[in-house]
Amino acid sequence: MKRLSSSKRVVVKNVVKGEIEWELRPGGMLVQKRNMGDASSAPVINIKVSHGSYHHDIPLPAQSTFGDLKRILAQETGLEPKEQRLLFQGKEKDDGECLHMVGVKDMSKVVLLEDPASKERKLQEMNRNQTLLKACEEVAKIRSEVDKLSEKVIALEAIVVAGTTVAENEFHVLTELLMVQLLQLDSIEANGEAKVQRRVEVRRVQGLVDRLDKLKARNSNPFGSSSNAVAVAVSSKWEAFESVVGAQSPLPASTIITQEWEVFD
């Protein structure tokens, strides 16, 4: 009886000193806690992981968890651990479950599925990217057309500035072509970067239309600016004439007038 009592006290003493540590497994099972020494000394098993049409052979210690397996698979598949679902014998396993505790042995088969919610998010992101790419391509096509129209506006401006009168139809045609591009830009459904690019092109087209309106006005009245210059010159000459007369010049008035108009001419 004393020996039994002594043995019992030894066990209790070991537990108190922490030489035996326990942990609670999923399902309520109390088992001895694993440590790194246990894992490194455990036998290594090869697990056959099936992921759609792909197959992966994963070697790892038998006492590893399914969470450990997910971390290795993340490197192999690109799927984050939280995006993975692991099934063994038709049942999904939690990250904390140990492989050897549920019957996983060497050459056992595990099925990897992508989490449906994660898959849906990726699909939505892919659709958004495709929509963005399409919108950017549509804006780029219009930008190319606006480049051509811009060159025509610059050429037309050079002619008008040179003093050559241009047919009114030239302005109407270019304006209408620019408005067509403006309507096409408005029809593009764009977000993010595509929306920014569309806004830039809209402002560019509007600027070209305003430019054409000013050129059209100048083309209709090519001498508008020179007429103003003539008016200023005439006013200056009359001021000079009045100053001469006011000074009571000995020259006859007719001679003064003739000289002033000669200078003006």
Side-chain angles (χ1 to χ4, degrees), residues 38-47 57-64 72 99 104-107:
D38 294 337
S40 60
S41 61
V44 175
I45 59 176
N46 288 294
I47 302 175
D57 293 329
I58 308 297
L60 74 171
Q63 292 186 353
S64 302
I72 297 176
L99 301 175
V104 177
K105 300 177 181 179
D106 189 47
M107 304 305 289

Short mmCIF file of all heavy atoms in Angstrom, two decimals, residues 38-47 57-64 72 99 104-107:
data_model
loop_
_atom_site.label_atom_id
_atom_site.label_comp_id
_atom_site.label_asym_id
_atom_site.label_seq_id
_atom_site.Cartn_x
_atom_site.Cartn_y
_atom_site.Cartn_z
N ASP A 38 8.90 16.36 -30.09
CA ASP A 38 8.03 15.26 -30.49
C ASP A 38 7.81 15.27 -32.00
O ASP A 38 7.82 14.25 -32.67
CB ASP A 38 6.70 15.35 -29.76
CG ASP A 38 6.87 15.14 -28.25
OD1 ASP A 38 7.87 14.50 -27.88
OD2 ASP A 38 6.02 15.62 -27.49
N ALA A 39 7.58 16.50 -32.55
CA ALA A 39 7.27 16.62 -33.97
C ALA A 39 8.46 16.21 -34.83
O ALA A 39 8.31 15.55 -35.85
CB ALA A 39 6.86 18.06 -34.30
N SER A 40 9.66 16.63 -34.38
CA SER A 40 10.84 16.31 -35.17
C SER A 40 11.19 14.83 -35.13
O SER A 40 11.77 14.29 -36.06
CB SER A 40 12.04 17.15 -34.68
OG SER A 40 12.31 16.85 -33.31
N SER A 41 10.81 14.19 -34.02
CA SER A 41 11.13 12.76 -33.90
C SER A 41 10.02 11.88 -34.45
O SER A 41 10.19 10.67 -34.56
CB SER A 41 11.37 12.41 -32.42
OG SER A 41 10.20 12.69 -31.66
N ALA A 42 8.85 12.49 -34.80
CA ALA A 42 7.74 11.71 -35.34
C ALA A 42 8.05 11.25 -36.75
O ALA A 42 8.77 11.92 -37.49
CB ALA A 42 6.46 12.56 -35.33
N PRO A 43 7.52 10.14 -37.16
CA PRO A 43 7.76 9.64 -38.52
C PRO A 43 7.14 10.58 -39.56
O PRO A 43 6.08 11.15 -39.33
CB PRO A 43 7.08 8.27 -38.52
CG PRO A 43 6.06 8.35 -37.43
CD PRO A 43 6.66 9.23 -36.37
N VAL A 44 7.82 10.72 -40.67
CA VAL A 44 7.32 11.56 -41.76
C VAL A 44 6.47 10.72 -42.69
O VAL A 44 6.85 9.62 -43.09
CB VAL A 44 8.50 12.20 -42.53
CG1 VAL A 44 7.98 12.97 -43.75
CG2 VAL A 44 9.30 13.11 -41.63
N ILE A 45 5.30 11.27 -43.02
CA ILE A 45 4.39 10.56 -43.93
C ILE A 45 4.17 11.41 -45.18
O ILE A 45 4.29 12.63 -45.15
CB ILE A 45 3.04 10.25 -43.26
CG1 ILE A 45 2.37 11.55 -42.81
CG2 ILE A 45 3.22 9.30 -42.08
CD1 ILE A 45 0.97 11.34 -42.22
N ASN A 46 3.87 10.74 -46.27
CA ASN A 46 3.56 11.43 -47.52
C ASN A 46 2.06 11.42 -47.73
O ASN A 46 1.42 10.36 -47.70
CB ASN A 46 4.26 10.74 -48.70
CG ASN A 46 5.75 10.99 -48.70
OD1 ASN A 46 6.20 12.11 -48.89
ND2 ASN A 46 6.53 9.93 -48.49
N ILE A 47 1.50 12.61 -47.94
CA ILE A 47 0.06 12.75 -48.11
C ILE A 47 -0.23 13.13 -49.56
O ILE A 47 0.40 14.04 -50.12
CB ILE A 47 -0.51 13.81 -47.16
CG1 ILE A 47 -0.19 13.44 -45.71
CG2 ILE A 47 -2.02 13.97 -47.34
CD1 ILE A 47 -0.62 14.48 -44.71
N ASP A 57 2.11 15.88 -53.66
CA ASP A 57 2.63 14.95 -52.66
C ASP A 57 3.31 15.78 -51.57
O ASP A 57 4.34 16.42 -51.81
CB ASP A 57 3.64 13.98 -53.28
CG ASP A 57 2.98 13.03 -54.26
OD1 ASP A 57 1.79 12.71 -54.05
OD2 ASP A 57 3.63 12.62 -55.23
N ILE A 58 2.74 15.77 -50.38
CA ILE A 58 3.22 16.60 -49.29
C ILE A 58 3.80 15.74 -48.17
O ILE A 58 3.06 14.98 -47.52
CB ILE A 58 2.09 17.48 -48.72
CG1 ILE A 58 1.39 18.25 -49.85
CG2 ILE A 58 2.64 18.42 -47.65
CD1 ILE A 58 2.29 19.22 -50.57
N PRO A 59 5.11 15.81 -47.92
CA PRO A 59 5.70 15.09 -46.79
C PRO A 59 5.72 15.98 -45.55
O PRO A 59 6.10 17.15 -45.61
CB PRO A 59 7.12 14.81 -47.27
CG PRO A 59 7.43 15.94 -48.20
CD PRO A 59 6.13 16.39 -48.81
N LEU A 60 5.30 15.44 -44.42
CA LEU A 60 5.35 16.18 -43.16
C LEU A 60 5.19 15.20 -42.00
O LEU A 60 4.69 14.08 -42.18
CB LEU A 60 4.29 17.28 -43.11
CG LEU A 60 2.82 16.92 -42.91
CD1 LEU A 60 2.01 18.18 -42.67
CD2 LEU A 60 2.24 16.17 -44.09
N PRO A 61 5.58 15.60 -40.78
CA PRO A 61 5.48 14.70 -39.62
C PRO A 61 4.05 14.26 -39.38
O PRO A 61 3.10 15.02 -39.57
CB PRO A 61 6.00 15.56 -38.47
CG PRO A 61 6.89 16.55 -39.12
CD PRO A 61 6.26 16.86 -40.43
N ALA A 62 3.89 13.02 -38.94
CA ALA A 62 2.55 12.45 -38.74
C ALA A 62 1.76 13.20 -37.68
O ALA A 62 0.53 13.21 -37.71
CB ALA A 62 2.67 10.97 -38.36
N GLN A 63 2.44 13.82 -36.72
CA GLN A 63 1.74 14.53 -35.65
C GLN A 63 1.40 15.97 -36.02
O GLN A 63 0.94 16.73 -35.18
CB GLN A 63 2.59 14.50 -34.38
CG GLN A 63 2.73 13.10 -33.77
CD GLN A 63 3.45 13.11 -32.43
OE1 GLN A 63 3.96 14.15 -32.02
NE2 GLN A 63 3.50 11.97 -31.79
N SER A 64 1.61 16.35 -37.27
CA SER A 64 1.25 17.70 -37.72
C SER A 64 -0.27 17.85 -37.74
O SER A 64 -1.01 16.86 -37.74
CB SER A 64 1.82 17.97 -39.11
OG SER A 64 3.22 17.83 -39.12
N ILE A 72 1.65 24.57 -45.85
CA ILE A 72 2.51 24.03 -46.90
C ILE A 72 1.82 24.12 -48.25
O ILE A 72 2.43 24.48 -49.26
CB ILE A 72 2.89 22.57 -46.58
CG1 ILE A 72 3.71 22.50 -45.29
CG2 ILE A 72 3.68 21.95 -47.74
CD1 ILE A 72 4.04 21.09 -44.83
N LEU A 99 -3.20 15.05 -37.79
CA LEU A 99 -3.35 14.08 -38.87
C LEU A 99 -3.46 12.66 -38.33
O LEU A 99 -4.37 11.90 -38.71
CB LEU A 99 -2.15 14.18 -39.83
CG LEU A 99 -1.95 15.55 -40.50
CD1 LEU A 99 -0.66 15.52 -41.34
CD2 LEU A 99 -3.13 15.90 -41.38
N VAL A 104 -4.99 9.71 -40.57
CA VAL A 104 -4.18 9.99 -41.76
C VAL A 104 -2.85 9.26 -41.62
O VAL A 104 -2.14 9.42 -40.63
CB VAL A 104 -3.94 11.50 -41.93
CG1 VAL A 104 -3.03 11.76 -43.13
CG2 VAL A 104 -5.26 12.23 -42.09
N LYS A 105 -2.53 8.45 -42.64
CA LYS A 105 -1.30 7.67 -42.62
C LYS A 105 -0.50 7.96 -43.89
O LYS A 105 -0.88 8.79 -44.71
CB LYS A 105 -1.63 6.18 -42.53
CG LYS A 105 -2.43 5.80 -41.28
CD LYS A 105 -2.77 4.33 -41.28
CE LYS A 105 -3.60 3.96 -40.05
NZ LYS A 105 -3.98 2.52 -40.04
N ASP A 106 0.59 7.27 -44.02
CA ASP A 106 1.42 7.44 -45.21
C ASP A 106 0.61 7.05 -46.45
O ASP A 106 -0.04 6.00 -46.48
CB ASP A 106 2.67 6.55 -45.09
CG ASP A 106 3.68 6.85 -46.19
OD1 ASP A 106 3.97 8.04 -46.42
OD2 ASP A 106 4.17 5.89 -46.81
N MET A 107 0.65 7.93 -47.47
CA MET A 107 -0.04 7.75 -48.75
C MET A 107 -1.55 7.93 -48.63
O MET A 107 -2.30 7.58 -49.56
CB MET A 107 0.28 6.38 -49.36
CG MET A 107 1.76 6.12 -49.55
SD MET A 107 2.60 7.41 -50.54
CE MET A 107 1.93 7.06 -52.15
#
